[in-house]
């Protein structure tokens, strides 16, 4: 399916418009499954936050970081794309959906209207445009999510407009419900978003009730097979704010800062590997900030539409926030290994 819009490309993604003379209905998507184990943490206790410490990285890697073998998600995307109007509906089921879509099988559902060659209007529900990572495993290079994706703004519902300004500059504006509010709005509040981009470089802004976010992205392609992408994402709120999404785990803090670098090397036609290095800092209301440095090494081996994805992730925190292997003491680091299989259609 031709990529028409990466939803709400308010800042970061280039403006494109449909070219088909006749609307076409298409079905695409992916399914994924995985094996996951902790190398120095517990494998026989519930994953996540247990009695004040984490037994797994708070990354919602598959929605719940289950150990052993597990199915992760199924995504089916329906689209009907015309030259002027069309829609995209992405349906999802599995732990990722439960974690990020409020137990709703609808991941994204929006309509678009190419009002002119330079203006596109969209209305409906979509995921965040911030950062490089997307909801479906097939749309990412790494299998686990970054902390930025986990704690950043996720689900939007509203109206957005994209403007092509020429010379590869694009402007986006949005008026939406408060973030994570995808079914109605009983608060009377709304969120606003704006951003500008040029090619692979952009900056965007989002303000929703007590929460404010800024996202900056840039990418350099050194060769056809080697690239480096950088992403800075900043969130702030009052320390008594009622936080939404996974940010509820950060209640009592003042915000976060995430700085990530993504390097990717295509070493052969079938194999590529890459490293994501993230520095994630939680701005505490009192005392020293808590930060986590997370290098993640991932390989992607493609066999037709099937991708085999081994991944080694190392989380190192400034505080002892992880359980050790016996779950009888805490430690500052956690190492995990994942082997995933992803089929795209």
């Amino acid at each position: 399916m031709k990529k028409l819009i990466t939803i709400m490309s308010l800042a970061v993604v280039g403006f494109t418009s449909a070219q088909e003379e006749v609307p076409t209905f298409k079905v695409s998507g992916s399914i994924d499954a995985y094996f996951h184990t902790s190398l120095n943490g517990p494998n026989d206790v519930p994953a996540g936050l247990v009695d004040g410490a984490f037994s797994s990285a708070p990354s919602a890697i598959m929605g719940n970081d289950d150990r052993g073998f597990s199915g992760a998600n199924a995504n089916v995307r329906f689209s009907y794309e015309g030259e002027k109007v069309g829609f995209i509906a992405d349906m999802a089921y599995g732990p990722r959906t439960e974690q990020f879509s409020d137990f709703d099988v609808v991941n994204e559902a929006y309509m678009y209207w190419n009002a002119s060659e330079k203006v596109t209007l969209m209305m409906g529900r979509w995921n965040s445009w911030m950062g490089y990572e997307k909801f479906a495993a097939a749309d990412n290079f790494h299998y686990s999510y970054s902390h930025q994706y986990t704690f950043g703004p996720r689900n939007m519902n509203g109206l957005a407009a994209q403007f092509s300004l020429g010379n590869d500059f694009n402007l986006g504006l949005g008026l939406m419900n408060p973030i994570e509010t995808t079914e109605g709005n009983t608060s009377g509040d709304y969120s606003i978003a704006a951003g500008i981009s040029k090619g692979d470089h952009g900056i965007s802004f989002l303000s929703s009730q007590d929460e404010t976010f800024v996202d900056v992205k840039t990418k350099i392609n050194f060769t056809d097979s080697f690239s480096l992408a950088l992403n800075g994402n900043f969130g702030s709120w009052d320390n008594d704010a009622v936080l939404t999404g996974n940010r509820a785990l950060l209640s009592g803090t003042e915000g976060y800062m995430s700085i990530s670098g993504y390097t990717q090397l295509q070493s052969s036609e079938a194999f590529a590997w890459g490293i994501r290095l993230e520095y994630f800092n939680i701005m505490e209301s009192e005392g020293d900030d808590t930060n986590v440095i997370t290098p993640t090494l991932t390989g992607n081996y493609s066999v037709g539409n099937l991708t085999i994805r081994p991944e080694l992730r190392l989380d190192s925190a400034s505080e002892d926030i992880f359980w050790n292997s016996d779950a009888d003491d805490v430690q500052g680091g956690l190492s995990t290994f994942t082997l995933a299989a992803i089929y795209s259609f």
Side-chain angles (χ1 to χ4, degrees):
M1 181 186 71
K2 181 178 178 179
K3 184 178 287 185
L4 170 66
I5 304 169
T6 298
I7 256 320
M8 271 196 65
S9 312
L10 296 178
V12 222
V13 187
F15 171 93
T16 57
S17 56
Q19 300 298 318
E20 296 92 342
E21 294 297 328
V22 179
T24 56
F25 180 77
K26 295 184 179 180
V27 179
S28 61
S30 65
I31 61 172
D32 60 292
Y34 66 89
F35 170 79
H36 180 65
T37 187
S38 177
L39 303 180
N40 69 334
N43 285 308
D44 55 355
V45 298
L49 185 61
V50 180
D51 295 332
F54 290 98
S55 62
S56 59
S59 61
I61 176 175
M62 282 73 67
N64 53 8
D65 279 354
D66 277 341
R67 302 296 199 265
F69 293 95
S70 181
N73 222 69
N75 281 78
V76 179
R77 173 168 289 197
F78 305 95
S79 66
Y80 190 73
E81 302 182 41
E83 183 177 4
K84 283 289 186 180
V85 297
F87 76 85
I88 291 177
D90 184 79
M91 316 303 287
Y93 178 79
R96 289 180 187 264
T97 308
E98 295 175 0
Q99 182 74 19
F100 291 104
S101 299
D102 299 326
F103 298 90
D104 194 336
V105 296
V106 178
N107 179 39
E108 295 183 299
Y110 61 91
M111 296 147 286
Y112 69 84
W113 171 32
N114 291 320
S116 72
E117 292 183 355
K118 296 183 179 297
V119 179
T120 293
L121 302 176
M122 297 170 291
M123 188 172 185
R125 171 176 177 168
W126 51 76
N127 296 157
S128 172
W129 64 93
M130 291 185 168
Y132 284 108
E133 298 174 29
K134 307 302 178 185
F135 173 75
D139 294 333
N140 297 323
F141 187 90
H142 301 278
Y143 194 65
S144 68
Y145 291 133
S146 66
H147 297 296
Q148 182 275 322
Y149 185 93
T150 301
F151 294 106
R154 290 273 50 85
N155 300 296
M156 319 291 182
N157 207 86
L159 175 67
Q162 297 183 47
F163 305 91
S164 176
L165 305 179
N167 295 321
D168 207 21
F169 278 98
N170 305 284
L171 172 69
L173 300 173
L175 175 65
M176 305 161 293
N177 287 341
I179 51 177
E180 322 299 352
T181 303
T182 56
E183 297 181 3
N185 180 2
T186 59
S187 69
D189 296 325
Y190 292 89
S191 61
I192 57 173
I196 191 167
S197 68
K198 179 177 173 61
D200 292 325
H201 318 287
I203 182 171
S204 60
F205 165 84
L206 169 65
S207 178
S208 176
Q209 294 179 307
D210 298 325
E211 302 176 77
T212 300
F213 304 89
V214 177
D215 189 81
V216 181
K217 295 198 293 189
T218 187
K219 184 178 181 181
I220 303 173
N221 295 307
F222 294 100
T223 67
D224 291 339
S225 59
F226 180 67
S227 65
L228 170 64
L230 299 173
N231 177 224
N233 186 271
F234 311 90
S236 64
W237 47 77
D238 297 333
N239 57 19
D240 59 349
V242 178
L243 301 178
T244 56
N246 288 331
R247 290 176 300 285
L249 289 172
L250 304 181
S251 296
T253 67
E254 297 180 347
Y256 69 80
M257 175 179 65
S258 170
I259 300 175
S260 299
Y262 299 78
T263 61
Q264 294 180 18
L265 174 65
Q266 189 76 37
S267 56
S268 69
E269 183 177 349
F271 187 76
W273 63 275
I275 296 176
R276 176 183 64 207
L277 180 60
E278 181 183 24
Y279 171 80
F280 189 78
N281 183 75
I282 301 172
M283 295 177 282
E284 304 286 354
S285 300
E286 299 180 0
D288 296 334
D289 291 352
T290 301
N291 59 74
V292 183
I293 297 176
T294 308
T296 304
L297 175 64
T298 307
N300 281 259
Y301 180 71
S302 300
V303 184
N305 292 341
L306 176 66
T307 299
I308 307 300
R309 187 176 293 175
E311 181 170 286
L312 177 64
R313 175 176 174 135
L314 311 174
D315 285 86
S316 178
S318 60
E319 305 289 339
D320 291 338
I321 61 174
F322 300 111
W323 286 114
N324 63 8
S325 59
D326 295 325
D328 59 2
D329 199 2
V330 290
Q331 58 188 1
L334 187 69
S335 303
T336 56
F337 173 76
T338 304
L339 178 64
I342 305 148
Y343 188 89
S344 302
F345 57 90

